Amino acid sequence: MDTFTVRVAGGRPSVDARRNSLITSPLLLEEPIRLASILEHSHYHRTVPCLTKIVGTVGGNSKTVEQLSALLEAGMTAARFDFSVNDQENHQETHDNLRAAMKKTHRMCATVYDTHGPEITIFNSSNASVTMTAGSTVVLSGDKDHPVTAQALPLACPELAKAVKQGDEIFVGRYLFTGSETTSVWLKVEEVKGDDIVCTVTNTAELQGDFFTVHAAQVDTDMPILSKVDERHLSTWGVRCLPHIIFLSFTRNAEDIRYARKYLASLGKLSQAFIFAKIESIQGLRKIDEILAEADGLVLGRGDLGIDLPAEKVFLMQKVAIFKANMAGKPCVISRVVDTMTDTPRPTRAEATDVANAVLDGVDAIMLGAETLRGLYPTETVSTVRLICSEAEKAYNQELYFKKAVKEASDSMSELEAMASSAVKTAEKVHAAAIVVFTSSGRMARLVSKYKPSMPVLTLVIPRLFVQQLRWTVQGEFPAHMCCLMRGLIPMMATPKSLEQSDGSSNETVLKEAILQGQRMGVLRKHDRVVVVQKLGDSVVVRVEEALPYS
C-alpha cells in the first residue's frame, strides 16, 4: 500500500478533521499528498461557491432565463456582454433575462460591458469561406466596400497602414474565438501603398465566419480607446442597463483609463461603474504599473497577448501580472482557459492544469468566452471550471502568500489595510469558518480579499444615502457587485428595513441576518467561529463571534 504524508495548513486537531483534512483544509503544495486524495471523488456542494469567481460571456447559447439560471446555479458570478459581437437588441433581451434568472435563483451576478475599443476587424458580409494559400499575395485593402476574396481583404484602417512596416507580422482569422489554427492565417508585410498593406500569406488556412480579427504583432497604434460604437452603446444600452463593471479592451496606458472614466462621468449613474483595464498588447504590458495605479482591476486578454508574446514568455507574463495585481489589491481576471469545451464536454489535460495554475498564481476570476457564448456545453463548462478552482484552492499556500503580501505592503500599509490583514490572520489562527465584513464603499472588503483568506468573506454592503436637489438616492449596488469578481467575497446587500431594526452603532441585527444567510448557503454551521470586521465611529474593530443557530 502506498504511503504518503501531508501537512495541513490549519484545521482543528480532531480525528475527523485529520481524516478529512484533504477535503476541508488548504494544503501546503510543496508537501507530499496522499494518493487517496487524488483518487477519491471531489466533494462538490452546489450551494457553496468556490473562492475563485467565474465570468461567463452571455448571449447566443446562454440567453434564455432557463440557460442563464443554470449558469448561475453552476457558479457564474459575473455576466459579460461582449459588444464586439451581437447587436444592442440581443444584448438587451439577454440582460432582461439575466435579471429574471437572478430573481429566480436568488443569486447576485455582476454585469460586465466589454468594449470593442481599438480592435480591428474584417467583416465578411457573404459569410463564405475563403481559402488562403501559403506563398500567395493578399492585399489588406483600404476600401471597406471591397468584397472578401483570397486576393484582397477589406480592412479600412488607416491607423494600421501608418503603423506597420515591411517585415511585420499580421494575424487574421478566428483563432481568438475558435482556438483552431486551421481557420487563421499569418501574413508578412511586404510593402505599404497608401491605405493598402501588401502581404505574403505564410500558412495555408481557411477563413470562416462573418468577421475576422486582425492583430498586428507588437505594432503600436494610436486609435481611440473608446470607439464610436462603444460611445453609442454606452450612452444608450449602458445608461439603461447600468453595467457594474467596464472591461476596457486594449488598454495601453493610464491615460486610456482616465479618458474612459471622464466619459462615464457624463453618463449619470454609469459613472459609478468600475473600470478593469484589459491588457491585450505589448503596449499595455509595458505600462502595466501605471495602468494598475489608475484602474480598478485587471484583465489579461491572453488570446491577443499570446500573439504579441513568444509562446515561452506567456506563462511568465501571467505570473508577473497577477502578482502585481495581488500586491496592489486589485482583482485580476484571466481569459482563454478551456477553449476546447466550446465543442467537447471535457477540457484537455493542459487546460485543466492551466486553470489550476492560475488559481495557484493568485487570480481572482476566470473568464469564459466562446465556451458559454456559443459553446455546446456552457453549464458543464462553468461546473468543470468551478470544480478545478475548488481543488486548486485546497492546495493554495495562503500562509506563504500572506507573508509576501505583508512584506510588500509593510512600508506603505494604511491603518485600514493593517486591520484587514489582522482580520485575515486572526481568522486563520482561530480556524474561522468565515469572515464577515461591514462596508459601504467596498474598500475594506477588497483589502481583506487582497490577503487571500482560505475561508469565504461574507461582505455586508451597507447602502449610503445621498441627497441631491431634494432627491434621495441610495448607493451601494455597484460596490456590492464589484465583489462578484474578487476572490473569496460573497456580497450581501443590507436592506433599509434591517438597518432600521439595528441599534445603529453595532448593527447586531444585520450581523445576525448575515450569519443566518451564511447558514442557509452552507457556508456556516452552528457554533462555527466567525471573524467580524466592523467600523465603530472612527475605529475599525476586529472580533471573533460564534455562529449561533438563528431562526
Side-chain angles (χ1 to χ4, degrees):
M1 179 177 177
D2 293 322
T3 302
F4 294 77
T5 59
V6 66
R7 180 164 68 89
V8 179
R12 298 173 187 174
S14 66
V15 175
D16 288 340
R18 287 196 298 271
R19 182 166 58 243
N20 298 321
S21 62
L22 288 170
I23 301 168
T24 60
S25 302
L27 306 171
L28 295 184
L29 190 61
E30 58 268 23
E31 299 283 334
I33 298 176
R34 289 191 301 109
L35 180 61
S37 69
I38 300 171
L39 298 179
E40 68 187 3
H41 287 292
S42 299
H43 288 244
Y44 178 51
H45 198 304
R46 287 189 62 84
T47 61
V48 181
C50 61
L51 301 179
T52 308
K53 306 301 183 180
I54 299 175
V55 182
T57 303
V58 294
N61 289 353
S62 300
K63 184 176 181 179
T64 67
V65 175
E66 291 73 21
Q67 290 166 339
L68 293 168
S69 297
L71 290 179
L72 292 173
E73 290 178 342
M76 183 180 75
T77 59
R80 170 178 173 252
F81 293 82
D82 186 2
F83 274 78
S84 294
V85 296
N86 290 333
D87 55 31
Q88 194 173 131
E89 184 178 344
N90 273 297
H91 284 307
Q92 183 66 54
E93 182 183 353
T94 304
H95 185 270
D96 293 343
N97 289 341
L98 177 64
R99 292 180 66 89
M102 285 190 283
K103 185 176 181 179
K104 177 181 177 182
T105 60
H106 304 287
R107 292 176 185 266
M108 186 179 293
C109 179
T111 52
V112 178
Y113 177 104
D114 198 328
T115 67
H116 185 279
E119 184 177 53
I120 305 171
T121 53
I122 293 173
F123 292 99
N124 181 18
S125 57
S126 67
N127 208 23
S129 298
V130 181
T131 300
M132 310 295 289
T133 305
S136 63
T137 299
V138 64
V139 177
L140 299 180
S141 172
D143 180 6
K144 66 179 182 179
D145 297 321
H146 196 289
V148 172
T149 67
Q151 293 74 41
L153 301 172
L155 183 63
C157 181
E159 293 89 350
L160 184 62
K162 293 176 183 176
V164 298
K165 61 184 182 303
Q166 185 180 15
D168 284 341
E169 290 185 314
I170 299 177
F171 166 90
V172 179
R174 299 279 289 186
Y175 175 74
L176 301 182
F177 303 96
T178 67
S180 174
E181 284 289 5
T182 60
T183 58
S184 60
V185 66
W186 284 91
L187 310 177
K188 184 176 180 181
V189 177
E190 299 297 341
E191 63 176 319
V192 179
K193 297 180 177 179
D195 291 341
D196 292 345
I197 306 172
V198 182
C199 305
T200 298
V201 180
T202 62
N203 66 291
T204 299
E206 188 173 5
L207 299 181
Q208 300 173 346
D210 55 356
F211 70 97
F212 316 132
T213 296
V214 178
H215 187 97
Q218 300 193 24
V219 173
D220 297 346
T221 62
D222 58 357
M223 298 169 66
I225 190 63
L226 289 177
S227 66
K228 295 297 183 182
V229 174
D230 286 322
E231 292 182 354
R232 183 174 74 250
H233 289 322
L234 285 169
S235 62
T236 51
W237 186 91
V239 170
R240 284 197 310 272
C241 299
L242 295 177
H244 308 106
I245 296 163
I246 308 296
F247 283 177
L248 197 62
S249 296
F250 292 94
T251 302
R252 298 158 296 196
N253 48 50
E255 183 56 37
D256 285 344
I257 306 290
R258 288 189 284 268
Y259 178 87
R261 211 178 291 281
K262 182 178 179 181
Y263 178 75
L264 293 179
S266 67
L267 300 179
K269 288 185 178 180
L270 197 55
S271 62
Q272 299 178 51
F274 294 90
I275 298 178
F276 281 43
K278 204 171 176 186
I279 307 298
E280 302 183 81
S281 67
I282 287 289
Q283 280 180 285
L285 208 54
R286 290 194 191 108
K287 300 292 182 68
I288 190 169
D289 290 324
E290 69 172 56
I291 288 172
L292 264 175
E294 191 71 30
D296 299 306
L298 199 67
V299 180
L300 298 180
R302 299 192 307 172
D304 289 280
L305 271 175
I307 293 174
D308 262 16
L309 291 173
E312 69 274 13
K313 298 290 187 181
V314 174
F315 85 97
L316 193 58
M317 170 276 298
Q318 175 174 309
K319 289 182 180 294
V320 170
I322 293 176
F323 181 78
K324 285 179 176 290
N326 285 171
M327 295 304 103
K330 305 288 180 75
C332 185
V333 184
I334 68 163
S335 66
R336 303 307 303 276
V337 287
V338 286
D339 291 350
T340 60
M341 289 196 74
T342 303
D343 302 307
T344 62
R346 284 174 59 90
T348 65
R349 296 183 302 276
E351 288 172 336
T353 304
D354 187 26
V355 174
N357 280 331
V359 174
L360 296 175
D361 285 343
V363 79
D364 287 85
I366 303 292
M367 185 171 82
L368 304 173
E371 302 97 322
T372 53
L373 176 64
R374 54 181 181 77
L376 302 177
Y377 307 95
T379 305
E380 291 85 350
T381 301
V382 174
S383 297
T384 299
V385 169
R386 177 179 172 181
L387 270 175
I388 297 170
C389 290
S390 295
E391 289 296 321
E393 287 160 7
K394 296 172 192 174
Y396 185 71
N397 195 331
Q398 194 276 337
E399 183 180 354
L400 179 61
Y401 169 80
F402 184 89
K403 290 178 180 178
K404 288 181 180 179
V406 170
K407 183 178 179 181
E408 286 285 329
S410 58
D411 294 335
S412 58
M413 185 180 289
S414 65
E415 291 183 12
L416 202 62
E417 184 170 349
M419 295 305 295
S421 62
S422 297
V424 174
K425 187 173 183 179
T426 300
E428 297 291 342
K429 287 290 185 182
V430 303
H431 311 299
I435 299 173
V436 178
V437 178
F438 286 74
T439 183
S440 293
S441 65
R443 185 183 175 197
M444 175 58 83
R446 293 194 289 272
L447 287 173
V448 170
S449 176
K450 172 182 176 179
Y451 287 90
K452 303 272 190 286
S454 59
M455 67 287 297
V457 181
L458 304 180
T459 306
L460 279 167
V461 180
I462 311 298
R464 292 187 294 179
L465 294 174
F466 292 88
V467 61
Q468 186 177 22
Q469 296 180 347
L470 301 180
R471 293 183 62 184
W472 288 90
T473 58
V474 178
Q475 291 188 7
E477 181 183 355
F478 284 84
H481 285 83
M482 170 70 161
C483 297
C484 293
L485 272 83
M486 299 202 70
R487 186 156 161 171
L489 302 188
I490 301 177
M492 300 177 181
M493 284 287 290
T495 63
K497 180 180 178 181
S498 64
L499 292 175
E500 290 171 4
Q501 291 175 341
S502 70
D503 59 13
S505 60
S506 63
N507 285 324
E508 290 301 321
T509 301
V510 182
L511 176 60
K512 288 180 180 179
E513 288 186 10
I515 291 177
L516 178 59
Q517 182 62 23
Q519 291 171 344
R520 288 170 179 163
M521 294 174 61
V523 172
L524 295 173
R525 296 174 297 180
K526 62 181 181 180
H527 305 305
D528 274 341
R529 289 173 180 170
V530 177
V531 171
V532 181
V533 186
Q534 186 177 8
K535 189 172 184 180
L536 299 177
D538 295 330
S539 302
V540 177
V541 176
V542 176
R543 70 182 195 271
V544 180
E545 293 276 347
E546 184 178 350
L548 298 176
Y550 299 118
S551 59

